[in-house]
Amino acid sequence: MNIYADNAATTKTSRTVIDAMLPYFDKFYANPSSLHTPGQEAMEALTRAREAVAKCIGAKPNEIIFTSGGSEADNQAIVSAAMIGKSKGKMHIISTAFEHHAVLHTLDKLEKEGFKITLLDVHENGMVSAEQVREAICDDTCLVTIMYANNEIGSIQPIKEIGAVCKEKNVLFHTDAVQAVGHVHIDVKDENIDMLSMSAHKFHGPKGVGVLYARTGIRLTNIIEGGAQEKGKRAGTHNMPAIAGMAVAIKEACDAIDTHTPKIVKMRDKLIEGLLQIPHTVLNGDRYSRLPGNVNVCFEGIEGESLLLMLDMDGIYASSGSACTSGSLDPSHVLLAIGRPHEIAHGSLRLSIDYDNTDEEMDYIIEKTKKVVEYLRNMSPVWSDLKKGKREYVIQ
Amino acid sequence: MLYSEKVMDHFKNPRNVGVIEDADGIGEVGNAKCGDIMKIYLKIDNDIITDIKFETFGCGSAIASSSMATELIKGKPVKDALKLTNKAVAEALDGLPPHKMHCSVLAEEAISSAIKDYYDKNNIPYTDDTFKSLAHSHEEE
């Protein structure tokens, strides 16, 4: 059995999406910036794609900027808000400790340029509250950037409430919604979102294309300079096959949320319950305010990379926040941010499932994971110390 | 692929996993915070390593390095085992990715540490040079 359970990393491109993309390679291949007839046909397709994306998140078409993906959208949103703030002498930005690196590294850069960054505590359940945001906002605050749902532990933040606080305080609010778009219903106006980032390949669209939604009136700063594409705010010839694919993917995903979610949630909950039967195992991220397909647990006494390799041999494709899988010495900053000690964070497993997974696959994952965890624990000196009482369990 | 076939073989079928209850020397290096710990158990008879077992908490290359290192010194005189370098372990595994070389260092250190324990328990004299690999601890890697 081969089970792909790494949909938070990327999803399979849907067949309808691929079919929608293909004509843009050899039929409607003209540049939408060209004045001739085929160019204008491509421009019409671009307009339709923009309208489709806008409609899915309750935005206006002219508020949609096509980018190369979520990271670029995050960079542009944050840098733009920072530049707007700087022009008004406001140099304070609020975020959280468990953002994606596309956000955190952009904030690091701004900090070096003199901005003051406040990273809010996300607590053990991986949640930040609107009250925390309210308390952190000061006269100098130019931006609040908080992810819609965490990519590793799946916790969904109270975005509407946070947006309301920002609106009241007249501070720009950006949300990295890369993991949320196409998986939960989002309405940028209703949820008081000024800027939002998304990436097509997280909802069965192609890789290499994303969108930055920026409310009318927000002056964007270019990350990529050049031609006048995207109202002059994002240069570079439009990636038409990808943009056309993204438009189909977002509609397909958003239309299916209500039908898919109950099935995915049921499988997710089965997986969580099954894995928590393994002794000394803890769930990461809030149990209820959680992405439908996200499961993330830590097993005491084992290391994540060897766990992944063992599961891979059983045909289970997952991911981990251990240092060894990241290529750095530290385990996942997300798991450290929710207070997991290093040695526990090394033993994490993320399974991100989708609608095409099955109930039988969940049974198989639970069965195999139990065996693999037991096997690795049996060769772990940490586990033998725990059993002998020479070391205290962190996870009860 | 990230790892060579040899690494995967030793990861999938690790040799000498376990514990020796009446070991003559035990060495443990690394720490859980960094994500890897290796523990080596030696049975020594007449200056020959007659049995060796390991326990490892760590990634695939840490487990494979432990397995390969124990294979390389099993049945060998203690003096030969002391000459085992991390390079030899990595080479025997047909190489490790650059950021995984520290796993082979850990294997070398775990063996040195177990032999040192054996020397200490049996009052066998040695110089500072004998265990120079242990001078740099894993945290400094």
Side-chain angles (χ1 to χ4, degrees):
Chain A
M1 202 183 278
N2 285 336
I3 306 171
Y4 183 75
D6 200 15
N7 287 280
T10 196
T11 57
K12 176 168 138 182
T13 312
S14 116
R15 192 64 242 178
T16 19
V17 169
I18 297 171
D19 290 341
M21 290 173 72
L22 291 175
Y24 291 90
F25 287 102
D26 59 357
K27 204 168 169 205
F28 308 117
Y29 55 84
N31 191 326
S33 302
S34 297
L35 203 62
H36 46 63
T37 303
Q40 289 312 297
E41 280 168 1
M43 179 53 89
E44 278 167 31
L46 177 63
T47 304
R48 285 197 300 275
R50 202 184 300 283
E51 285 165 358
V53 173
K55 201 173 169 213
C56 288
I57 58 165
K60 289 179 273 181
N62 64 357
E63 296 174 317
I64 300 298
I65 303 277
F66 286 106
T67 67
S68 64
S71 292
E72 187 191 327
D74 281 339
N75 275 251
Q76 188 164 17
I78 294 167
V79 169
S80 299
M83 290 309 114
I84 294 166
K86 198 176 179 182
S87 69
K88 297 177 184 165
K90 294 183 172 194
M91 309 260 298
H92 177 228
I93 299 173
I94 298 167
S95 189
T96 73
F98 76 165
E99 296 298 311
H100 191 273
H101 285 124
V103 169
L104 289 178
H105 289 171
T106 305
L107 294 177
D108 285 347
K109 212 162 85 177
L110 290 170
E111 193 170 28
K112 286 189 190 117
E113 290 170 21
F115 283 84
K116 196 171 161 275
I117 312 294
T118 300
L119 297 182
L120 300 175
D121 182 9
V122 291
H123 305 103
E124 206 202 329
N125 62 348
M127 296 291 289
V128 62
S129 71
E131 262 329 286
Q132 284 175 273
V133 174
R134 181 186 293 281
E135 281 164 29
I137 290 177
C138 60
D139 291 344
D140 285 341
T141 310
C142 61
L143 171 69
V144 171
T145 171
I146 293 175
M147 68 202 319
Y148 204 107
N150 185 270
N151 51 318
E152 289 186 35
I153 60 173
S155 52
I156 300 174
Q157 306 306 310
I159 292 301
K160 188 176 175 175
E161 290 74 19
I162 294 169
V165 168
C166 294
K167 197 174 182 181
E168 180 196 323
K169 299 278 186 184
N170 203 20
V171 172
L172 286 177
F173 176 44
H174 165 251
T175 184
D176 170 354
V178 165
Q179 293 289 334
V181 172
H183 301 278
V184 294
H185 291 295
I186 295 177
D187 185 312
V188 289
K189 305 296 171 191
D190 179 54
E191 294 173 74
N192 311 300
I193 299 166
D194 294 314
M195 288 188 279
L196 175 146
S197 311
M198 66 170 98
S199 178
H201 74 101
K202 305 291 191 185
F203 47 79
H204 304 279
K207 292 157 186 71
V209 65
V211 152
L212 168 62
Y213 150 78
R215 174 175 57 72
T216 307
I218 296 173
R219 204 175 80 219
L220 294 177
T221 299
N222 281 53
I223 301 294
I224 297 178
E225 301 287 355
Q229 291 89 353
E230 301 299 284
K231 292 181 287 173
K233 293 304 173 190
R234 202 284 184 182
T237 299
H238 287 102
N239 184 354
M240 279 311 297
I243 289 170
M246 179 173 190
V248 171
I250 193 170
K251 183 166 190 314
E252 197 168 71
C254 290
D255 285 351
I257 289 175
D258 292 334
T259 43
H260 286 154
T261 302
K263 183 198 170 197
I264 302 170
V265 165
K266 205 171 151 230
M267 288 190 291
R268 174 198 74 187
D269 290 349
K270 179 179 196 169
L271 205 45
I272 290 175
E273 278 153 33
L275 295 176
L276 288 181
Q277 282 171 7
I278 299 171
H280 306 286
T281 301
V282 69
L283 178 71
N284 297 312
D286 195 83
R287 178 68 184 81
Y288 302 103
S289 185
R290 186 174 196 99
L291 286 171
N294 177 286
V295 176
N296 189 314
V297 290
C298 282
F299 303 107
E300 186 148 20
I302 60 169
E303 193 279 331
E305 193 217 67
S306 44
L307 175 65
L308 288 190
L309 290 172
M310 296 287 304
L311 290 175
D312 185 272
M313 288 190 258
D314 287 325
I316 299 167
Y317 311 128
S319 82
S320 168
S322 91
C324 276
T325 56
S326 71
S328 80
L329 279 181
D330 282 321
S332 145
H333 70 287
V334 173
L335 297 174
L336 297 180
I338 62 165
R340 300 282 179 248
H342 276 71
E343 63 269 33
I344 298 301
H346 284 299
S348 79
L349 173 68
R350 179 186 72 181
L351 296 152
S352 39
I353 55 168
D354 212 339
Y355 58 83
D356 50 5
N357 288 112
T358 64
D359 222 36
E360 291 70 46
E361 289 178 346
M362 300 306 113
D363 289 325
Y364 180 83
I365 293 174
I366 294 165
E367 180 205 327
K368 292 295 177 189
T369 308
K370 279 181 180 169
K371 281 187 186 151
V372 167
V373 170
E374 195 186 344
Y375 171 80
L376 289 172
R377 278 178 172 172
N378 281 337
M379 71 161 82
S380 162
V382 176
W383 187 250
S384 55
D385 282 355
L386 287 164
K387 273 199 305 187
K388 286 181 209 145
K390 285 193 205 165
R391 180 190 270 272
E392 275 185 36
Y393 288 103
V394 177
I395 306 171
Q396 295 311 316
Chain B
M1 291 302 281
L2 176 64
Y3 294 129
S4 70
E5 272 177 40
K6 270 257 176 71
V7 172
M8 286 312 291
D9 174 37
H10 277 260
F11 170 70
K12 286 180 194 172
N13 311 293
R15 284 63 148 176
N16 309 309
V17 176
V19 172
I20 300 174
E21 293 298 344
D22 58 340
D24 298 310
I26 299 174
E28 183 175 316
V29 294
N31 77 49
K33 213 187 150 195
C34 296
D36 31 30
I37 295 186
M38 270 180 211
K39 196 167 181 178
I40 298 274
Y41 301 83
L42 297 175
K43 195 77 197 143
I44 294 168
D45 189 20
N46 247 333
D47 218 37
I48 300 286
I49 296 170
T50 54
D51 197 11
I52 181 164
K53 292 270 186 253
F54 81 85
E55 288 182 296
T56 290
F57 162 88
C59 59
S61 61
I63 291 170
S65 296
S66 315
S67 169
M68 180 53 88
T70 57
E71 280 289 275
L72 290 172
I73 64 165
K74 197 174 182 178
K76 299 272 166 66
V78 173
K79 279 198 180 67
D80 289 1
L82 269 175
K83 287 182 202 147
L84 181 79
T85 63
N86 79 295
K87 265 194 175 160
V89 175
E91 272 164 25
L93 286 168
D94 290 338
L96 286 171
H99 66 288
K100 298 284 184 177
M101 281 304 284
H102 76 277
C103 293
S104 62
V105 174
L106 218 54
E108 176 193 332
E109 288 175 2
I111 286 166
S112 290
S113 163
I115 296 172
K116 185 171 181 292
D117 181 51
Y118 164 71
Y119 277 17
D120 287 341
K121 278 178 182 156
N122 293 280
N123 296 314
I124 299 168
Y126 56 84
T127 66
D128 288 350
D129 267 5
T130 317
F131 298 105
K132 45 174 197 277
S133 72
L134 292 176
H136 55 93
S137 74
H138 177 60
E139 284 99 299
E140 287 165 323
E141 284 305 314

